[in-house]
Amino acid sequence: MKVKGRAILLSIAVAVGPATMAHGQASNGASANLQAQSEQVFALANQARAQAGVGRLQWDPALAAAALKHCLRMAAEGPIAHRYGGEPDLSERAAQAGAHFSLIEENVAIGPTADAIHEEWMQSPGHRENLLSPEVDRVGVAVVAARGVLYAVADYSRAVQPMSAAQVEARVTALLRPSGVTILQDPHAARAACASDEGMPRAAGGMQPRFVMRWQDADLTRLPQELVEHLESGGFHAADVGACPPQDVEGAFSAYRIAVILY
């Protein structure tokens, strides 16, 4: 439900984990206490994840900035929500703060302490699923004190490293090298193939392309299975790698688009 923003005079203190900021009439002591509460939310999340056997979350300053902006809005509005009238959605807020991701989730809460907020999330199936998801690896937490309680926001994501086309090509080239194929030094043909949706690119240096693989993903730790099978066939001796801007990416999500030509 969307609600209109309204002006409220508040004395609030804010904490966003390692970096703490004070607003209004918050004292240094209150600010330090909120920093401890925010760090406690972060620490409790990683303790719970360790007990569940999932990977540790890393702190993401961009996510923390996005969480803080929304947390301040929650404190001003009163009733907690994931989105208020005129506010961008979660993915847009995170992208505007500088985060790059292929998956993003958010928990919000109000409570007296960090421990109580963590317990609320662990007792709620949806919030617990977000907090313990093995699919996320980054988090940003913000805590705001207002009206005698704590407002908390935790934004979780699976991070995507921003890379240039040349960096993406180098990453994919490293995955191709164990196959033994020669990597061509001129990526223009593969980049052209990447930018198109279908068709076989022109021959490069007199060699005739025999197979082209195009894909788009946020994960550059492995090659597509179809490409792996072609490489394992032993019928190819050279490869050309090209990257280009992703196509049809939903909202603010990040991904890489790649083409590999086999000769």
Side-chain angles (χ1 to χ4, degrees), residues 45 71 123:
C71 202
Q123 295 301 319

Side-chain angles (χ1 to χ4, degrees), residues 58-150:
Q58 295 184 34
W59 184 265
D60 189 305
L63 289 179
L68 173 60
K69 190 171 184 178
H70 183 65
C71 202
L72 288 168
R73 184 70 182 268
M74 285 204 314
E77 296 284 348
I80 62 174
H82 290 287
R83 190 178 186 183
Y84 296 98
E87 184 182 35
D89 66 16
L90 170 60
S91 66
E92 290 297 333
R93 294 198 306 266
Q96 289 171 6
H100 298 268
F101 48 87
S102 60
L103 172 68
I104 190 161
E105 304 165 340
E106 180 175 81
N107 282 354
V108 300
I110 182 172
T113 65
D115 293 53
I117 286 168
H118 175 74
E119 190 61 26
E120 286 181 36
W121 287 343
M122 291 297 288
Q123 295 301 319
S124 166
H127 294 85
R128 180 186 176 93
E129 182 179 355
N130 287 345
L131 195 155
L132 297 181
S133 172
E135 298 299 315
V136 298
D137 55 19
R138 300 289 190 277
V139 69
V141 179
V143 174
V144 171
R147 303 183 184 88
V149 295
L150 298 180

Side-chain angles (χ1 to χ4, degrees), residues 177-223:
R177 288 197 187 283
S179 70
V181 296
T182 299
I183 308 298
L184 302 182
Q185 297 302 308
D186 186 351
H188 287 90
R191 287 180 178 178
C194 181
S196 63
D197 291 327
E198 57 185 14
M200 189 68 72
R202 294 182 179 180
M207 295 188 296
Q208 184 61 42
R210 297 174 51 209
F211 174 78
V212 58
M213 182 79 202
R214 300 173 178 88
W215 77 97
Q216 188 165 298
D217 201 341
D219 184 3
L220 290 184
T221 63
R222 61 182 183 273
L223 297 171

Side-chain angles (χ1 to χ4, degrees), residues 1-87:
M1 180 180 68
K2 294 184 178 181
V3 297
K4 294 183 179 179
R6 59 188 183 279
I8 298 178
L9 297 178
L10 289 175
S11 174
I12 63 177
V14 180
V16 288
T20 303
M21 293 174 285
H23 292 252
Q25 302 300 316
S27 67
N28 289 335
S31 179
N33 179 60
L34 279 176
Q35 179 178 359
Q37 298 280 7
S38 179
E39 291 174 350
Q40 183 73 351
V41 172
F42 178 47
L44 288 170
N46 274 326
Q47 288 176 17
R49 290 176 65 87
Q51 293 172 358
V54 294
R56 180 178 179 82
L57 295 173
Q58 295 184 34
W59 184 265
D60 189 305
L63 289 179
L68 173 60
K69 190 171 184 178
H70 183 65
C71 202
L72 288 168
R73 184 70 182 268
M74 285 204 314
E77 296 284 348
I80 62 174
H82 290 287
R83 190 178 186 183
Y84 296 98
E87 184 182 35

Side-chain angles (χ1 to χ4, degrees), residues 163 168-176 183 190-191 193-198 211-228 230-231 239-249 255-262:
M163 290 190 286
V168 172
E169 289 161 4
R171 184 73 60 87
V172 175
T173 293
L175 296 175
L176 288 169
I183 308 298
R191 287 180 178 178
C194 181
S196 63
D197 291 327
E198 57 185 14
F211 174 78
V212 58
M213 182 79 202
R214 300 173 178 88
W215 77 97
Q216 188 165 298
D217 201 341
D219 184 3
L220 290 184
T221 63
R222 61 182 183 273
L223 297 171
Q225 185 59 34
E226 184 180 358
L227 178 57
V228 171
H230 275 75
L231 291 168
D240 192 7
V241 182
C244 61
Q247 299 178 5
D248 301 321
V249 177
Y256 312 109
R257 183 172 173 85
I258 311 102
V260 171
I261 305 172
L262 297 182

